[in-house]
Amino acid sequence: MKSTISYTSEVLRIEGGARLSGRVRVSGSKNATLPIIFATILTTQHCKIKDAPDLLDVENALELLRILGAEYQKEGNEILIDPSGVIKTSTPEDIVRKMRASILSMGPLLGRFRKARVSLPGGCSIGARPIDQHLKFFEKAGARVSVRGGFVNLEVNTKKPVEFTFDLITVTGTENALLYLASVEGQSTLKNVALEPEVMDLVHVLKKMGAEITLEGRELKIRGAEDLSGFNHRVIPDRIEAGTFLVAGSLSGYEIVIENVVSAHLKSVIEMLTQHGTHVSEEGMDSLRVTHNGSRKPLHIETSEYPGFPTDMQAQFCTMLSVTPGTSTVVENIFENRFQHISELNRMGANITIKGRKAFIRGVDQLWGATVNSTDLRASASLVLAGLIARGTTVVRDIYHLDRGYDKLEEKLKKLGAVIERLPEGQEI
Ligand code: EPZ
Protein backbone atom coordinates (compact mmCIF):
# COMPACT_ATOMS: atom_id res chain seq x y z
CA MET A 1 0.00 0.00 0.00
CA LYS A 2 1.61 3.25 -1.16
CA SER A 3 1.91 5.78 1.64
CA THR A 4 -0.77 8.44 1.28
CA ILE A 5 1.54 11.08 2.66
CA SER A 6 3.98 12.32 0.05
CA TYR A 7 6.82 14.13 1.74
CA THR A 8 7.85 16.89 -0.65
CA SER A 9 10.85 17.92 1.44
CA GLU A 10 12.92 16.91 4.41
CA VAL A 11 14.04 18.60 7.60
CA LEU A 12 16.92 18.28 10.00
CA ARG A 13 15.99 18.00 13.70
CA ILE A 14 18.78 18.96 16.08
CA GLU A 15 18.94 18.66 19.90
CA GLY A 16 21.28 21.43 21.04
CA GLY A 17 24.06 21.19 23.58
CA ALA A 18 26.07 18.13 22.49
CA ARG A 19 29.84 18.63 22.62
CA LEU A 20 31.65 17.49 19.46
CA SER A 21 34.83 15.42 19.38
CA GLY A 22 36.58 13.11 16.97
CA ARG A 23 37.73 13.30 13.35
CA VAL A 24 35.86 14.26 10.18
CA ARG A 25 37.00 14.14 6.54
CA VAL A 26 36.06 17.00 4.23
CA SER A 27 34.70 16.11 0.78
CA GLY A 28 36.01 17.37 -2.56
CA SER A 29 35.11 20.93 -3.55
CA LYS A 30 31.72 21.46 -5.23
CA ASN A 31 32.89 24.70 -6.85
CA ALA A 32 36.00 23.02 -8.27
CA THR A 33 34.13 19.92 -9.47
CA LEU A 34 31.49 21.83 -11.45
CA PRO A 35 33.78 23.75 -13.88
CA ILE A 36 35.99 20.64 -14.23
CA ILE A 37 32.95 18.58 -15.30
CA PHE A 38 32.26 21.17 -18.01
CA ALA A 39 35.92 21.16 -19.09
CA THR A 40 35.40 17.57 -20.34
CA ILE A 41 33.29 19.03 -23.21
CA LEU A 42 36.56 20.35 -24.68
CA THR A 43 37.91 16.87 -25.48
CA THR A 44 36.75 13.61 -27.06
CA GLN A 45 38.97 11.54 -24.75
CA HIS A 46 38.03 9.90 -21.45
CA CYS A 47 38.28 12.02 -18.31
CA LYS A 48 38.45 10.83 -14.69
CA ILE A 49 37.49 13.06 -11.75
CA LYS A 50 38.37 11.74 -8.28
CA ASP A 51 37.06 12.79 -4.87
CA ALA A 52 34.05 14.51 -6.43
CA PRO A 53 31.45 15.24 -3.73
CA ASP A 54 28.11 13.43 -3.73
CA LEU A 55 25.85 16.47 -4.29
CA LEU A 56 22.72 17.52 -6.13
CA ASP A 57 24.66 20.14 -8.09
CA VAL A 58 27.17 17.53 -9.29
CA GLU A 59 24.33 15.22 -10.34
CA ASN A 60 22.70 18.09 -12.24
CA ALA A 61 25.95 18.94 -14.03
CA LEU A 62 26.40 15.29 -15.07
CA GLU A 63 22.75 15.15 -16.18
CA LEU A 64 23.40 18.19 -18.39
CA LEU A 65 26.47 16.51 -19.88
CA ARG A 66 24.34 13.45 -20.69
CA ILE A 67 21.68 15.67 -22.34
CA LEU A 68 24.44 17.16 -24.51
CA GLY A 69 25.47 13.63 -25.56
CA ALA A 70 28.25 12.61 -23.19
CA GLU A 71 28.25 9.39 -21.18
CA TYR A 72 29.43 8.95 -17.64
CA GLN A 73 29.76 6.44 -14.82
CA LYS A 74 29.89 7.45 -11.18
CA GLU A 75 31.27 5.03 -8.64
CA GLY A 76 31.22 6.64 -5.21
CA ASN A 77 33.31 9.78 -5.51
CA GLU A 78 34.96 8.80 -8.78
CA ILE A 79 33.43 9.95 -12.09
CA LEU A 80 34.49 8.59 -15.49
CA ILE A 81 33.26 10.75 -18.38
CA ASP A 82 33.29 9.91 -22.10
CA PRO A 83 32.57 13.25 -23.84
CA SER A 84 33.13 11.95 -27.38
CA GLY A 85 29.38 11.73 -27.97
CA VAL A 86 28.65 15.40 -27.21
CA ILE A 87 26.77 16.80 -30.20
CA LYS A 88 24.16 19.11 -28.73
CA THR A 89 25.07 22.72 -28.10
CA SER A 90 21.89 23.87 -26.33
CA THR A 91 21.50 23.86 -22.55
CA PRO A 92 17.85 23.50 -21.46
CA GLU A 93 16.18 26.02 -19.18
CA ASP A 94 15.11 23.65 -16.42
CA ILE A 95 18.68 22.50 -15.76
CA VAL A 96 20.03 26.08 -15.66
CA ARG A 97 17.18 27.08 -13.34
CA LYS A 98 18.14 24.22 -11.01
CA MET A 99 21.82 24.99 -11.16
CA ARG A 100 23.13 28.34 -12.36
CA ALA A 101 26.66 26.95 -12.75
CA SER A 102 25.32 25.39 -15.99
CA ILE A 103 26.29 28.71 -17.57
CA LEU A 104 29.81 27.25 -17.51
CA SER A 105 28.77 25.15 -20.51
CA MET A 106 28.98 28.31 -22.69
CA GLY A 107 32.76 28.48 -22.88
CA PRO A 108 33.49 24.84 -23.76
CA LEU A 109 30.53 24.47 -26.17
CA LEU A 110 31.63 27.60 -28.05
CA GLY A 111 35.21 26.35 -27.97
CA ARG A 112 34.43 22.92 -29.36
CA PHE A 113 31.46 23.63 -31.69
CA ARG A 114 31.80 27.39 -32.31
CA LYS A 115 28.26 27.84 -31.07
CA ALA A 116 26.25 27.56 -27.86
CA ARG A 117 22.70 28.23 -26.72
CA VAL A 118 22.35 28.48 -22.95
CA SER A 119 19.32 29.47 -20.92
CA LEU A 120 19.84 32.66 -18.95
CA PRO A 121 20.13 31.85 -15.23
CA GLY A 122 17.57 33.65 -13.13
CA GLY A 123 18.75 35.50 -10.06
CA CYS A 124 18.71 33.59 -6.85
CA SER A 125 17.89 34.40 -3.28
CA ILE A 126 21.31 35.95 -2.60
CA GLY A 127 21.20 38.41 -5.46
CA ALA A 128 20.49 39.23 -9.10
CA ARG A 129 23.79 37.62 -10.14
CA PRO A 130 23.95 39.00 -13.70
CA ILE A 131 26.34 37.48 -16.26
CA ASP A 132 27.19 40.69 -18.14
CA GLN A 133 30.92 40.09 -17.66
CA HIS A 134 30.69 36.62 -19.17
CA LEU A 135 28.92 38.00 -22.28
CA LYS A 136 31.27 41.00 -22.54
CA PHE A 137 34.18 38.57 -22.66
CA PHE A 138 32.64 36.42 -25.40
CA GLU A 139 31.88 39.51 -27.50
CA LYS A 140 35.44 40.78 -27.13
CA ALA A 141 36.62 37.29 -28.12
CA GLY A 142 34.78 37.77 -31.44
CA ALA A 143 31.58 35.81 -30.77
CA ARG A 144 28.16 37.06 -31.90
CA VAL A 145 26.10 37.17 -28.70
CA SER A 146 22.32 37.60 -28.70
CA VAL A 147 19.78 37.19 -25.93
CA ARG A 148 16.39 35.92 -27.16
CA GLY A 149 13.50 34.49 -25.17
CA GLY A 150 15.53 33.83 -22.05
CA PHE A 151 18.37 32.16 -23.93
CA VAL A 152 21.86 33.38 -24.76
CA ASN A 153 22.97 32.47 -28.30
CA LEU A 154 26.69 32.55 -29.03
CA GLU A 155 28.42 31.90 -32.36
CA VAL A 156 31.96 32.44 -33.57
CA ASN A 157 33.35 31.89 -37.07
CA THR A 158 37.07 32.07 -36.50
CA LYS A 159 38.39 31.52 -33.00
CA LYS A 160 41.14 34.01 -32.28
CA PRO A 161 43.21 34.95 -29.22
CA VAL A 162 42.03 37.94 -27.21
CA GLU A 163 43.11 40.34 -24.46
CA PHE A 164 40.27 41.05 -22.01
CA THR A 165 40.00 42.86 -18.68
CA PHE A 166 37.09 42.06 -16.36
CA ASP A 167 35.36 45.17 -14.94
CA LEU A 168 34.91 43.26 -11.66
CA ILE A 169 36.26 40.06 -10.21
CA THR A 170 33.98 37.14 -11.07
CA VAL A 171 34.67 33.47 -10.28
CA THR A 172 32.51 31.80 -12.94
CA GLY A 173 33.19 34.68 -15.34
CA THR A 174 36.90 33.88 -15.14
CA GLU A 175 36.14 30.16 -15.46
CA ASN A 176 33.89 30.59 -18.52
CA ALA A 177 36.60 32.60 -20.28
CA LEU A 178 39.24 29.98 -19.40
CA LEU A 179 36.99 27.15 -20.63
CA TYR A 180 36.78 28.89 -24.01
CA LEU A 181 40.37 30.13 -24.40
CA ALA A 182 41.82 26.69 -23.55
CA SER A 183 40.69 25.69 -27.06
CA VAL A 184 41.90 28.88 -28.82
CA GLU A 185 45.35 28.77 -30.40
CA GLY A 186 47.63 31.78 -29.88
CA GLN A 187 48.38 33.80 -26.78
CA SER A 188 45.38 35.29 -24.92
CA THR A 189 45.42 37.42 -21.78
CA LEU A 190 42.77 37.78 -19.07
CA LYS A 191 43.16 40.66 -16.58
CA ASN A 192 41.50 41.28 -13.21
CA VAL A 193 40.72 37.57 -12.82
CA ALA A 194 39.41 35.71 -9.78
CA LEU A 195 42.06 33.79 -7.81
CA GLU A 196 39.82 31.42 -5.84
CA PRO A 197 41.43 27.96 -5.34
CA GLU A 198 38.57 26.47 -7.39
CA VAL A 199 39.59 28.63 -10.38
CA MET A 200 43.21 27.49 -9.93
CA ASP A 201 42.09 23.84 -9.80
CA LEU A 202 40.39 24.36 -13.18
CA VAL A 203 43.63 25.91 -14.50
CA HIS A 204 45.46 22.80 -13.26
CA VAL A 205 43.07 20.56 -15.24
CA LEU A 206 43.21 22.68 -18.43
CA LYS A 207 47.02 22.45 -18.30
CA LYS A 208 46.76 18.65 -17.97
CA MET A 209 44.57 18.77 -21.11
CA GLY A 210 47.28 20.60 -23.06
CA ALA A 211 46.65 24.34 -22.59
CA GLU A 212 49.60 26.51 -21.51
CA ILE A 213 48.51 28.84 -18.70
CA THR A 214 50.56 31.17 -16.50
CA LEU A 215 49.41 33.51 -13.72
CA GLU A 216 50.96 36.76 -12.60
CA GLY A 217 49.05 38.76 -9.98
CA ARG A 218 45.51 38.92 -11.34
CA GLU A 219 46.61 38.33 -14.97
CA LEU A 220 46.29 34.96 -16.72
CA LYS A 221 48.10 34.20 -19.99
CA ILE A 222 46.60 31.31 -21.94
CA ARG A 223 47.86 29.53 -25.06
CA GLY A 224 45.09 27.11 -26.03
CA ALA A 225 45.01 24.16 -28.43
CA GLU A 226 42.37 22.76 -30.80
CA ASP A 227 43.00 19.15 -29.72
CA LEU A 228 42.89 18.88 -25.97
CA SER A 229 43.40 15.55 -24.23
CA GLY A 230 41.49 13.80 -21.47
CA PHE A 231 42.68 13.97 -17.89
CA ASN A 232 42.78 12.21 -14.52
CA HIS A 233 42.34 14.64 -11.63
CA ARG A 234 41.58 14.64 -7.93
CA VAL A 235 39.64 17.79 -7.03
CA ILE A 236 40.82 19.99 -4.17
CA PRO A 237 39.09 19.70 -0.80
CA ASP A 238 36.07 21.91 -0.15
CA ARG A 239 37.47 24.84 1.82
CA ILE A 240 33.99 26.10 2.73
CA GLU A 241 32.93 22.74 4.17
CA ALA A 242 36.23 22.73 6.11
CA GLY A 243 35.52 26.29 7.30
CA THR A 244 32.04 25.24 8.39
CA PHE A 245 33.53 22.46 10.54
CA LEU A 246 36.06 24.91 11.99
CA VAL A 247 33.15 27.05 13.20
CA ALA A 248 31.36 23.93 14.50
CA GLY A 249 34.51 23.00 16.43
CA SER A 250 34.82 26.53 17.79
CA LEU A 251 31.18 26.58 18.93
CA SER A 252 30.53 23.04 20.12
CA GLY A 253 33.85 21.32 20.29
CA TYR A 254 35.68 19.69 22.95
CA GLU A 255 38.12 19.29 20.12
CA ILE A 256 37.72 18.04 16.54
CA VAL A 257 40.22 17.15 13.83
CA ILE A 258 39.28 18.05 10.26
CA GLU A 259 40.99 15.91 7.62
CA ASN A 260 41.59 16.57 3.90
CA VAL A 261 42.18 20.32 4.26
CA VAL A 262 44.50 22.69 2.38
CA SER A 263 45.07 25.18 5.22
CA ALA A 264 46.52 27.76 2.80
CA HIS A 265 43.03 28.01 1.25
CA LEU A 266 41.61 29.01 4.65
CA LYS A 267 44.17 31.64 5.70
CA SER A 268 41.68 34.49 6.14
CA VAL A 269 39.17 32.25 7.95
CA ILE A 270 41.80 30.87 10.36
CA GLU A 271 43.08 34.39 11.01
CA MET A 272 39.61 35.57 12.04
CA LEU A 273 39.00 32.48 14.19
CA THR A 274 42.33 33.02 15.96
CA GLN A 275 41.43 36.68 16.60
CA HIS A 276 38.14 35.38 18.03
CA GLY A 277 40.03 33.19 20.54
CA THR A 278 39.61 29.84 18.80
CA HIS A 279 42.64 27.58 18.68
CA VAL A 280 43.40 26.13 15.23
CA SER A 281 46.54 24.06 14.70
CA GLU A 282 47.87 22.09 11.76
CA GLU A 283 48.14 18.35 12.19
CA GLY A 284 50.16 16.31 9.69
CA MET A 285 50.03 17.26 6.02
CA ASP A 286 46.34 17.91 5.56
CA SER A 287 44.47 18.19 8.84
CA LEU A 288 43.46 20.93 11.25
CA ARG A 289 42.75 20.52 14.97
CA VAL A 290 40.23 23.02 16.39
CA THR A 291 39.09 23.79 19.90
CA HIS A 292 37.90 26.79 21.86
CA ASN A 293 38.37 27.27 25.59
CA GLY A 294 37.93 30.56 27.34
CA SER A 295 36.44 33.83 26.21
CA ARG A 296 35.22 34.82 22.75
CA LYS A 297 36.18 38.15 21.26
CA PRO A 298 33.89 40.13 18.94
CA LEU A 299 35.07 40.62 15.36
CA HIS A 300 34.71 42.98 12.42
CA ILE A 301 34.35 40.92 9.21
CA GLU A 302 34.36 42.22 5.62
CA THR A 303 33.79 39.70 2.83
CA SER A 304 35.90 40.14 -0.29
CA GLU A 305 37.32 38.21 -3.22
CA TYR A 306 39.98 35.55 -2.52
CA PRO A 307 42.36 35.72 -0.72
CA GLY A 308 40.05 37.93 1.38
CA PHE A 309 37.39 36.61 3.76
CA PRO A 310 35.01 34.42 1.71
CA THR A 311 31.36 35.44 1.33
CA ASP A 312 30.55 31.70 1.55
CA MET A 313 31.69 31.76 5.21
CA GLN A 314 29.77 34.89 6.22
CA ALA A 315 26.58 33.17 7.42
CA GLN A 316 28.48 30.63 9.53
CA PHE A 317 30.41 33.42 11.26
CA CYS A 318 27.17 35.30 11.99
CA THR A 319 26.03 32.28 14.01
CA MET A 320 29.30 32.18 15.94
CA LEU A 321 29.27 35.93 16.62
CA SER A 322 25.63 35.84 17.75
CA VAL A 323 26.78 34.22 21.01
CA THR A 324 29.96 36.28 21.36
CA PRO A 325 29.91 38.96 24.08
CA GLY A 326 30.07 42.52 22.77
CA THR A 327 29.14 43.88 19.35
CA SER A 328 30.53 42.39 16.13
CA THR A 329 29.99 43.75 12.64
CA VAL A 330 29.83 41.87 9.34
CA VAL A 331 29.92 43.63 5.96
CA GLU A 332 28.79 41.59 2.91
CA ASN A 333 30.55 43.17 -0.07
CA ILE A 334 30.01 40.46 -2.69
CA PHE A 335 26.25 39.78 -2.88
CA GLU A 336 23.50 42.32 -2.33
CA ASN A 337 21.11 40.05 -0.45
CA ARG A 338 23.06 37.56 1.57
CA PHE A 339 21.69 38.23 5.07
CA GLN A 340 18.53 36.11 4.91
CA HIS A 341 19.82 33.84 7.66
CA ILE A 342 19.74 36.81 10.07
CA SER A 343 15.95 36.87 10.54
CA GLU A 344 16.02 33.11 11.21
CA LEU A 345 18.87 33.49 13.73
CA ASN A 346 16.88 36.26 15.44
CA ARG A 347 13.95 33.82 15.74
CA MET A 348 16.36 31.69 17.78
CA GLY A 349 17.13 34.59 20.12
CA ALA A 350 20.00 36.29 18.35
CA ASN A 351 20.17 40.09 18.44
CA ILE A 352 21.26 41.19 14.98
CA THR A 353 20.28 44.30 13.03
CA ILE A 354 21.07 45.05 9.41
CA LYS A 355 21.79 48.45 7.87
CA GLY A 356 22.41 48.07 4.13
CA ARG A 357 25.33 45.72 3.67
CA LYS A 358 26.31 45.76 7.34
CA ALA A 359 25.05 43.49 10.12
CA PHE A 360 25.45 44.59 13.77
CA ILE A 361 25.59 41.52 15.99
CA ARG A 362 25.10 42.04 19.74
CA GLY A 363 26.14 38.84 21.46
CA VAL A 364 23.54 37.01 23.58
CA ASP A 365 24.16 34.35 26.24
CA GLN A 366 22.09 31.68 24.61
CA LEU A 367 20.19 30.76 21.43
CA TRP A 368 16.89 28.86 21.75
CA GLY A 369 15.71 26.03 19.53
CA ALA A 370 13.05 26.90 16.94
CA THR A 371 11.72 25.84 13.54
CA VAL A 372 13.68 27.83 10.95
CA ASN A 373 13.67 28.06 7.15
CA SER A 374 16.68 27.72 4.89
CA THR A 375 16.92 30.22 2.05
CA ASP A 376 20.24 29.36 0.46
CA LEU A 377 23.10 26.92 0.78
CA ARG A 378 25.29 28.71 3.32
CA ALA A 379 22.35 30.17 5.27
CA SER A 380 21.15 26.61 5.91
CA ALA A 381 24.60 25.69 7.24
CA SER A 382 24.49 28.65 9.63
CA LEU A 383 21.12 27.45 10.97
CA VAL A 384 22.45 23.92 11.54
CA LEU A 385 25.37 25.42 13.50
CA ALA A 386 22.88 27.49 15.52
CA GLY A 387 20.88 24.33 16.26
CA LEU A 388 23.99 22.63 17.62
CA ILE A 389 24.38 25.25 20.36
CA ALA A 390 20.73 26.29 20.95
CA ARG A 391 18.87 25.23 24.10
CA GLY A 392 16.23 22.68 23.07
CA THR A 393 15.16 21.39 19.65
CA THR A 394 15.76 23.12 16.32
CA VAL A 395 14.10 22.05 13.09
CA VAL A 396 15.77 23.30 9.89
CA ARG A 397 13.39 23.13 6.91
CA ASP A 398 13.96 23.14 3.12
CA ILE A 399 17.28 21.37 3.49
CA TYR A 400 17.51 20.70 -0.25
CA HIS A 401 19.54 23.93 -0.18
CA LEU A 402 21.99 22.17 2.13
CA ASP A 403 22.12 19.07 -0.09
CA ARG A 404 23.27 21.22 -3.00
CA GLY A 405 26.56 21.95 -1.30
CA TYR A 406 27.22 19.66 1.67
CA ASP A 407 27.92 15.95 1.24
CA LYS A 408 26.21 14.06 4.13
CA LEU A 409 26.63 16.93 6.62
CA GLU A 410 24.32 15.45 9.26
CA GLU A 411 26.08 12.06 9.11
CA LYS A 412 29.45 13.76 9.60
CA LEU A 413 28.12 15.83 12.51
CA LYS A 414 26.45 12.76 14.09
CA LYS A 415 29.81 10.95 13.96
CA LEU A 416 31.29 13.85 15.97
CA GLY A 417 28.58 13.48 18.61
CA ALA A 418 25.85 15.83 17.44
CA VAL A 419 22.23 14.82 18.09
CA ILE A 420 20.86 15.42 14.59
CA GLU A 421 18.62 13.52 12.24
CA ARG A 422 17.07 13.90 8.82
CA LEU A 423 13.30 13.41 8.72
CA PRO A 424 10.57 13.81 6.13
CA GLU A 425 8.75 17.13 6.58
CA GLY A 426 5.88 16.64 9.02
CA GLN A 427 7.50 13.81 10.99
CA GLU A 428 9.77 16.08 13.03
CA ILE A 429 7.25 16.72 15.81
C1 EPZ B 1 30.86 31.73 -7.38
O1 EPZ B 1 29.64 32.28 -7.83
C2 EPZ B 1 30.47 30.57 -6.47
N1 EPZ B 1 29.72 29.56 -7.23
C3 EPZ B 1 29.63 31.10 -5.31
O2 EPZ B 1 29.28 30.03 -4.46
C4 EPZ B 1 30.45 32.12 -4.54
O3 EPZ B 1 29.66 32.64 -3.50
C5 EPZ B 1 30.86 33.24 -5.49
O4 EPZ B 1 31.60 32.68 -6.61
C6 EPZ B 1 31.76 34.27 -4.81
O5 EPZ B 1 32.88 33.66 -4.31
C7 EPZ B 1 30.41 28.71 -8.03
O6 EPZ B 1 31.62 28.76 -8.13
C8 EPZ B 1 29.59 27.69 -8.75
P1 EPZ B 1 30.82 35.88 -8.97
P2 EPZ B 1 29.67 33.33 -9.07
O7 EPZ B 1 30.59 35.88 -10.45
O8 EPZ B 1 30.77 33.02 -9.98
C9 EPZ B 1 28.68 40.08 -9.65
C10 EPZ B 1 27.61 28.42 -3.96
O9 EPZ B 1 26.45 28.06 -3.95
N2 EPZ B 1 28.76 39.76 -11.07
O10 EPZ B 1 32.23 35.84 -8.46
O11 EPZ B 1 28.29 33.41 -9.60
C11 EPZ B 1 27.77 39.13 -8.89
O12 EPZ B 1 26.43 39.59 -8.96
C12 EPZ B 1 27.89 29.76 -4.52
O13 EPZ B 1 28.56 27.73 -3.64
C13 EPZ B 1 28.31 40.70 -12.00
O14 EPZ B 1 27.83 41.78 -11.65
O15 EPZ B 1 30.02 34.69 -8.31
C14 EPZ B 1 28.31 39.18 -7.49
O16 EPZ B 1 27.78 40.32 -6.83
C15 EPZ B 1 27.08 30.78 -3.74
N3 EPZ B 1 28.38 40.40 -13.33
C16 EPZ B 1 29.82 39.39 -7.70
O17 EPZ B 1 29.96 39.88 -9.05
C17 EPZ B 1 28.89 39.20 -13.78
O18 EPZ B 1 28.95 38.99 -15.01
C18 EPZ B 1 30.64 38.11 -7.57
O19 EPZ B 1 30.02 37.14 -8.38
C19 EPZ B 1 29.35 38.26 -12.82
C20 EPZ B 1 29.28 38.56 -11.48
Side-chain angles (χ1 to χ4, degrees), residues 91-275:
T91 302
E93 177 179 355
D94 60 330
I95 289 260
V96 180
R97 283 265 185 221
K98 269 195 289 189
M99 188 196 59
R100 57 178 296 108
S102 319
I103 54 174
L104 289 171
S105 55
M106 278 180 198
L109 287 173
L110 193 67
R112 181 163 160 189
F113 300 103
R114 290 178 168 68
K115 66 180 181 165
R117 182 170 183 273
V118 178
S119 166
L120 264 178
C124 80
S125 63
I126 63 178
R129 301 180 77 178
I131 59 167
D132 56 293
Q133 295 296 307
H134 301 235
L135 305 186
K136 211 171 157 187
F137 160 76
F138 287 118
E139 277 169 349
K140 183 80 190 308
R144 283 185 306 290
V145 180
S146 64
V147 181
R148 292 270 183 293
F151 277 81
V152 181
N153 296 288
L154 304 113
E155 270 196 87
V156 67
N157 296 332
T158 338
K159 296 187 330 188
K160 54 186 192 318
V162 66
E163 176 162 317
F164 178 77
T165 304
F166 286 96
D167 300 327
L168 54 83
I169 294 167
T170 158
V171 171
T172 46
T174 303
E175 290 168 344
N176 234 337
L178 277 165
L179 285 162
Y180 173 66
L181 292 176
S183 72
V184 178
E185 288 175 350
Q187 171 86 47
S188 292
T189 305
L190 291 174
K191 295 184 177 177
N192 201 24
V193 299
L195 301 174
E196 271 68 2
E198 296 75 33
V199 179
M200 296 305 128
D201 211 27
L202 173 65
V203 166
H204 192 179
V205 165
L206 294 174
K207 286 166 78 170
K208 287 183 178 178
M209 296 176 78
E212 289 168 30
I213 305 176
T214 54
L215 172 70
E216 206 171 311
R218 283 195 185 270
E219 187 172 306
L220 278 165
K221 288 202 179 306
I222 306 108
R223 187 176 291 280
E226 267 300 330
D227 295 326
L228 292 165
S229 64
F231 60 84
N232 182 337
H233 185 75
R234 174 181 300 284
V235 297
I236 54 170
D238 193 308
R239 63 190 165 104
I240 303 301
E241 183 187 355
T244 306
F245 279 111
L246 283 172
V247 173
S250 167
L251 282 171
S252 312
Y254 285 122
E255 181 176 78
I256 63 173
V257 176
I258 305 162
E259 298 170 340
N260 193 33
V261 179
V262 176
S263 51
H265 293 167
L266 282 155
K267 209 162 160 304
S268 59
V269 172
I270 295 170
E271 261 163 28
M272 295 316 277
L273 281 169
T274 308
Q275 254 186 57

